[in-house]
Amino acid sequence: MNKKRGEWSNHLGFILAAAGSAVGLGNIWKFPGKIGANGGGLFLLIYIIVVAVIGLTIMLAELAIGRSTQKNAVGAFHQLNKNWTFAGVIGIITLFVILSYYSIVGGWIMKYIGVYLGGAHFSGTATQYQDFFVNFITKPIEPVLWGLLFLGLCIFIIIKGVSDGIEKISKILMPALFILLIGTAIRSMTLPGAMEGIQFMLHIDFSTFNTDMLVAAVGQAFFSLSVGMGILITYGSYVGKQENLFQSAVWICILDTIVAILAAFAIIPAVFVTMGADGLGMGGGFAFMALPNVFASIPGGIIFGAVFFILLFLAALTSAISILESIIAFMSEEFHITRKKAVAWLFVPLTLLSVGYSLSQLETRGINLPWFDMRNGLQMLPMNAVMEKFTDNLMIPLGALCFCIFVGWVWGVKPAIYEIENEGALRFPLRKIWSFSIRYLAPIAILAILYFTIFKGVI
Ligand code: PHE
């Protein structure tokens, strides 16, 4: 997928590459934290509905735009309707911010690979694992260096044009990740005391419903599926004309969601076992704090843990590369500069933002750094929290809304369906439902989310 617009080598290659973009830190680092913070079973149910209805709708729209125009996100809008170029630009801005923090968390994973390979992280107590994590992410320099190493690797892969390797990596990565996650989930769910965690995940209590939960589910679903930012426009531009876009989109949604659910079942019961329900309040770092307990209870767990973090690293890498690839494809195609030049332009601002994200973690230890605080609605929050909310709750839904309105009302559902039906070669069974969803259902739902985000102070 470089130089002249290449194509994925076959059907499976495309699905796996797109799943490679979708499956990443969002599934394993973010998702369990969001379930924990938003009350378990009901959130899970809402999440699945959002993926199946809105996520799938938009994914299909993006793939259709991409394959029809054969362009990066911005170029695609520019070609179809110049006035809508901004929709692609929103996506690129979002991706830029995501990549800056994705790299830092990718760096955490690399650190953990080192820790497991060194055999150090095996016989501690639950509190020690937690302290280790918090101490590490709040160090001023080390996590930044790991983050830069992660970013550097992505850049190296993209510049060397070995992105074809993404396809190859994904073929082994996905099945391996599946197997390991299933193993981890089984172990976690059979730990003494895990029942409470399993119940938390499965018990649906409608009285816990609130709008924050809805906003979180939509933001998380879009982030996890990589929709709303134009990634799948870029990926769609590499898809062969004979490919069945609908089927592919369904597969990508299914794979991504299964990985997220497996990760949650691997992590949440372990949180309950080691920290009880109070542990849920700790948010973000579950994968790093709770999983070591699970690995420690598995014979040969140190190897298991090392392999787990290596796979997680590869999953993060394939996602980060898809982000970087989209930004670089945009810069080089729209500004007519080489890919190397594009990287050179990106590097400094990206690094600055990453450093800000990493340093503002210090506030998790109660160390107040006022210059890293940002206004977020009425409250002041550390920069890292604001960056995540800004992308997940505001920018991604905004991009997704633009895509819906554009395809539903500007470009039109007719040309989109013509593309989805391979110019008449196959029939898209859900064409009516999809048209309704892209024109009315999805945009109205997203508008509601943006309303809550902006006016009810979720951001
Ligand atoms: N979907 C990826 C994940 O869940 C992250 C991602 C976000 C990838 C945005 C591409 C674009 O980790």
Side-chain angles (χ1 to χ4, degrees):
M1 48 171 271
N2 47 30
K3 289 171 234 117
K4 286 234 127 240
R5 301 225 134 228
E7 276 187 13
W8 307 105
S9 54
N10 58 33
H11 181 60
L12 193 66
F14 163 60
I15 294 184
L16 286 177
S21 166
V23 173
L25 298 172
N27 307 60
I28 293 156
W29 163 62
K30 270 196 182 187
F31 186 63
K34 295 232 167 149
I35 289 204
N38 289 290
L42 181 59
F43 178 83
L44 186 58
L45 178 69
I46 296 176
Y47 180 84
I48 292 174
I49 296 173
V50 171
V51 168
V53 182
I54 311 181
L56 183 59
T57 299
I58 302 172
M59 182 178 285
L60 203 46
E62 282 194 42
L63 290 176
I65 297 177
R67 192 174 64 178
S68 150
T69 56
Q70 305 276 300
K71 290 254 158 59
N72 69 76
V74 177
F77 283 104
H78 190 75
Q79 174 178 325
L80 293 173
N81 184 327
K82 280 204 181 54
N83 296 335
W84 280 77
T85 314
F86 76 92
V89 176
I90 292 180
I92 298 289
I93 296 172
T94 315
L95 288 175
F96 179 80
V97 178
I98 291 180
L99 185 58
S100 72
Y101 68 76
Y102 214 84
S103 305
I104 294 294
V105 181
W108 298 352
I109 309 262
M110 293 174 84
K111 164 77 178 180
Y112 268 65
I113 295 178
V115 167
Y116 270 89
L117 287 180
H121 211 50
F122 195 49
S123 50
T125 61
T127 331
Q128 279 170 336
Y129 295 138
Q130 272 171 48
D131 291 348
F132 178 85
F133 175 68
V134 174
N135 274 331
F136 166 63
I137 63 166
T138 53
K139 281 188 185 151
I141 309 229
E142 198 189 337
V144 173
L145 293 181
W146 283 108
L148 286 180
L149 189 61
F150 183 86
L151 182 62
L153 258 171
C154 297
I155 291 177
F156 178 81
I157 293 171
I158 294 258
I159 291 283
K160 285 279 166 203
V162 286
S163 321
D164 304 348
I166 305 179
E167 247 185 82
K168 298 200 184 85
I169 293 180
S170 297
K171 273 186 192 150
I172 318 164
L173 172 65
M174 285 300 149
L177 195 61
F178 256 85
I179 295 171
L180 226 71
L181 273 174
I182 292 175
T184 315
I186 292 176
R187 177 67 269 220
S188 177
M189 287 157 66
T190 50
L191 288 172
M195 207 50 214
E196 217 189 319
I198 301 174
Q199 265 164 6
F200 173 79
M201 291 278 296
L202 296 179
H203 180 67
I204 297 172
D205 179 357
F206 287 100
S207 69
T208 57
F209 180 82
N210 58 45
T211 48
D212 287 8
M213 188 185 263
L214 214 56
V215 174
V218 171
Q220 173 64 25
F222 291 180
F223 182 95
S224 191
L225 297 171
S226 309
V227 305
M229 296 153 274
I231 287 272
L232 291 162
I233 296 182
T234 310
Y235 269 48
S237 71
Y238 303 119
V239 178
K241 284 287 179 195
Q242 74 298 337
E243 202 68 55
N244 184 332
L245 293 184
F246 173 62
Q247 238 175 41
S248 307
V250 170
W251 271 112
I252 300 162
C253 289
I254 292 179
L255 286 175
D256 186 67
T257 306
I258 293 181
V259 172
I261 293 176
L262 281 176
F265 275 103
I267 290 172
I268 297 286
V271 172
F272 273 87
V273 169
T274 53
M275 300 174 246
D278 292 346
L280 293 175
M282 309 208 350
F286 285 162
F288 301 91
M289 294 185 281
L291 282 180
N293 297 291
V294 182
F295 299 145
S297 70
I298 298 175
I302 191 114
I303 301 171
F304 201 91
V307 176
F308 181 88
F309 280 107
I310 290 174
L311 292 179
L312 187 49
F313 162 72
L314 291 174
L317 198 64
T318 51
S319 300
I321 287 172
S322 78
I323 301 178
L324 190 60
E325 170 65 31
S326 291
I327 303 177
I328 302 273
F330 153 70
M331 291 175 76
S332 63
E333 286 172 25
E334 299 305 308
F335 302 135
H336 307 290
I337 53 174
T338 61
R339 294 163 69 87
K340 276 203 183 117
K341 262 227 172 85
V343 168
W345 277 105
L346 273 180
F347 190 72
V348 172
L350 205 52
T351 304
L352 285 178
L353 216 51
S354 299
V355 170
Y357 181 82
S358 186
L359 289 185
S360 55
Q361 300 285 345
L362 269 165
E363 303 212 12
T364 36
R365 281 214 309 215
I367 298 171
N368 202 357
L369 302 168
W371 57 92
F372 280 118
D373 284 347
M374 290 182 168
R375 184 157 293 286
N376 178 54
L378 296 175
Q379 331 147 257
M380 294 295 269
L381 283 179
M383 182 169 167
N384 57 334
V386 176
M387 282 167 75
E388 288 175 38
K389 282 177 193 257
F390 173 74
T391 53
D392 297 9
N393 297 348
L394 184 68
M395 290 299 278
I396 302 180
L398 196 62
L401 178 67
C402 294
F403 295 175
C404 291
I405 296 177
F406 178 78
V407 172
W409 300 94
V410 181
W411 187 37
V413 287
K414 273 227 176 80
I417 290 179
Y418 185 64
E419 186 60 50
I420 295 169
E421 296 198 324
N422 293 358
E423 306 180 351
L426 49 86
R427 218 186 124 67
F428 172 34
L430 301 181
R431 52 195 296 171
K432 287 228 169 71
I433 301 180
W434 181 79
S435 304
F436 174 75
S437 182
I438 196 85
R439 295 182 69 152
Y440 301 101
L441 189 67
I444 291 172
I446 299 170
L447 266 176
I449 295 304
L450 285 171
Y451 173 81
F452 295 135
T453 297
I454 296 168
F455 295 105
K456 303 274 178 198
V458 180
I459 186 165

